[in-house]
Every structure is written in C-alpha cells, then in structure tokens.
Amino acid sequence: MTNVKIGVVGIPGKWSTETLCDAVEARTGFRHVIDMADVSLDLATGALWHGDTDLSTFDGLIIKKISQEYCPHTLDRLEMLRTAEARGVQIFSNPTAILRLIDRLSCTVSLRNAGIPMPDTIVTENRAAALEAVRRFGSAVFKPLFSTKARGMCVLEASSPEADLQREIASFSEENPVMYIQQKADLSGQDLGMVFLGGRYLGTYARVSQTDTWNTTIESGGKYAPFEPDKELIALAEKAQRPFGLDFTTVDVALTPDGPIVFEVSAFGGFKGALEGAGLEAATLYADYVLEKVTS
C-alpha cells in the first residue's frame, strides 16, 4: 500500500523500534523513525517538526517508546504529540491514555479504583510514615514514580537496624520526595507479561529469574519463557487494561500464594518478551492493526 504515511516514535537503532518500522515499511513503503528529543512544536501554526518534516501531515503515528527512561519531561513529549492528534493524525496509543501510565501512582490509582488486586502500597512524603510502612510490610520495595525495568528501586527489610533504615529512606527521599512503597510480594521466581492488542488478548510470556535477585527483569538476568494462563487470569488482565484504552499493552501479573496480583499496565508493551516467550510477532500484528485503523 502506498501514499500512507505512518511514523514510529521511538529510539533509533533500538530493536523494538526498528522492528516495528520494518513492519510498517513492508506494508506502506514508508519509513520514518522519530526521536522526540529532535522534535519541535510551533504552537502558532500547530506544526510538529522533525527535521524538515511536519509530523502533523502524517496519517498515523505509533508511539513505541517516548524516551529512553521515564521522567516528568516524558509527559511534555506526550503533550506535544497531542497537537498532531488535534490536527487529525491518528496516534497509537492515544497520548492522553499513555499520560495516565507514565506516572506509577496514576496507574496504581486507576487500577485500585477498578478493583484490581495489587500489592499493599503506601504513598507518602513523610519519612516517619515510610519507616512505619517498612515495619508493617516486613519487606518493602521503594519505587520511583517515573521508572521502568526496576530502575531506581530498592528493597528495605524491617529486620535491618533502625539507623540504617532511616539513612536509606532519607537517601531515597532526596531523589523521590513522594515515596511509593509496596509490600514485597512472593513471586516464586517469575512474573507474567500478558499481551493485548486493541483490548484483545493475544498471549502470555513469563519472566523467570535466573539469580537470587528480588526482581525478574531481563536487566537483572531474568529469561523469557512460555506460559499458559487460565481463563480467570486472562479475565483479570483484561479487566486491568480496559480502563486505559491502549492500542497495544502488556499487563504485568504475578502469581502469589495469596492469589494473582497486578503490578502495572505498560504504557507501550514489550515486543521481545512477546516474541521470545509467547511466539508472537507483535510488531507485525501491531502494524496490521494500525494500517487497518488508518485506512478504514
């Protein structure tokens, strides 16, 4: 199909970005990778410039990755993309929907309001309250509000000397004034990524720990593996992603001795886990989905 211009917002050279671009180019003959660090917004005209290309003239934009790491500035990039949307460009997923997921607290509040089971969580700026949370949980994970893949997270144990806990809480608080504190869950060495496209369930993969680290992320040595969930687990993940209205996402789920819990709904979803763990060509499926939406 020609004359259809679909750009991919992502990190040039990164596997997931380039794989999605390959799939789009194979279907349209058009390729354009957009690093938001190089984009300029002209509010007087509504133009969104990437080099000498006005992105607001495209038929569609797919947001594969908005920045290398999450931070408050990431929200500004999404706001810029809203101007292209206002001029008629279809954006996948909708920037407003993604905005609700970049901030960990926003995602958590939405999930809790939807009745989704999650780890017990305390959010506070008060260091004494944070110390009390550690005592209450026994083992607590301190998480930055803007982070992915367990970056910046730390585990504090109630059994540690109080002076050490106070020092570590103070150190975390210096970087993260609003402290997001979750009870450490028994993951039994794995957690799950449950993949959805347009709200439709596609498949599940597991992230399996290969070390004694507390998390299962690939960056910490975890490996992808197949997993077949039951209908109840699929229904839980479907319910978790529903309020956000994302075009493509992964729901992070853990199976604990007390039942399944949801950690988060991903703003962008993972292609590599879907491929290596579930055998899903997510980039191809996503490109087909977007092209159908743009041309219908």
Side-chain angles (χ1 to χ4, degrees):
M1 184 174 295
T2 58
N3 300 321
V4 176
K5 296 169 67 176
I6 300 172
V8 174
V9 176
I11 310 299
K14 289 293 186 178
W15 179 83
S16 60
T17 297
E18 299 297 342
T19 299
L20 183 55
C21 281
D22 290 343
V24 170
E25 184 179 20
R27 286 151 180 76
T28 66
F30 181 81
R31 186 186 192 93
H32 194 99
V33 182
I34 303 149
D35 185 340
M36 286 300 295
D38 299 325
V39 172
S40 300
L41 169 62
D42 185 342
L43 283 169
T45 64
L48 193 64
W49 294 104
H50 183 239
D52 58 359
T53 302
D54 183 359
L55 301 179
S56 65
T57 64
F58 282 23
D59 298 290
L61 295 171
I62 309 175
I63 308 175
K64 184 61 197 82
K65 200 72 173 177
I66 197 69
S67 60
Q68 187 67 52
E69 296 184 4
Y70 290 1
C71 66
H73 301 307
T74 302
L75 306 180
D76 299 326
R77 293 181 172 188
L78 289 164
E79 294 291 354
M80 292 169 69
L81 288 172
R82 288 180 60 214
T83 63
E85 182 184 37
R87 297 185 71 186
V89 182
Q90 295 188 59
I91 303 183
F92 308 87
S93 291
N94 181 285
T96 301
I98 295 176
L99 278 164
R100 298 172 62 203
L101 289 165
I102 296 297
D103 183 329
R104 177 170 276 109
L105 181 54
S106 176
C107 177
T108 297
V109 168
S110 296
L111 289 171
R112 280 293 195 184
N113 287 347
I116 303 300
M118 300 186 72
D120 286 349
T121 304
I122 298 292
V123 181
T124 184
E125 297 180 50
N126 185 287
R127 294 178 182 179
L131 178 59
E132 180 56 33
V134 177
R135 291 178 178 142
R136 170 183 159 188
F137 293 155
S139 184
V141 184
F142 282 62
K143 300 182 177 183
L145 293 183
F146 296 90
S147 74
T148 60
K149 306 182 188 302
R151 294 186 183 98
M153 298 182 188
C154 63
V155 178
L156 300 188
E157 304 287 351
S159 58
S160 300
E162 183 163 320
D164 291 347
L165 290 175
Q166 289 176 336
R167 183 172 56 254
E168 292 189 63
I169 289 171
S171 176
F172 184 85
S173 178
E174 287 294 328
E175 295 293 327
N176 307 276
V178 178
M179 292 175 282
Y180 179 105
I181 308 162
Q182 267 186 347
Q183 184 171 32
K184 184 174 177 288
D186 179 2
L187 303 184
S188 301
Q190 72 172 10
D191 67 349
L192 310 175
M194 305 186 71
V195 186
F196 290 82
L197 178 64
R200 180 173 64 89
Y201 171 73
L202 295 183
T204 297
Y205 58 88
R207 286 176 292 257
V208 183
S209 177
Q210 306 295 303
T211 66
D212 59 359
T213 184
W214 66 272
N215 69 75
T216 62
T217 63
I218 304 306
E219 286 69 18
S220 296
K223 300 295 182 183
Y224 295 121
F227 188 90
E228 289 296 332
D230 58 27
K231 292 181 180 179
E232 290 75 15
L233 199 60
I234 294 172
L236 172 63
E238 193 281 328
K239 181 181 178 182
Q241 61 84 42
R242 192 188 308 153
F244 301 100
L246 298 165
D247 292 293
F248 182 79
T249 189
T250 303
V251 181
D252 289 346
V253 180
L255 304 178
T256 77
D258 297 320
I261 55 174
V262 174
F263 283 118
E264 65 180 12
V265 176
S266 171
F268 310 107
F271 282 1
K272 186 156 286 188
L275 179 62
E276 295 183 7
L280 293 170
E281 295 276 359
T284 298
L285 295 170
Y286 200 5
D288 286 339
Y289 169 89
V290 168
L291 191 58
E292 180 179 357
K293 293 284 186 181
V294 166
T295 58
S296 62

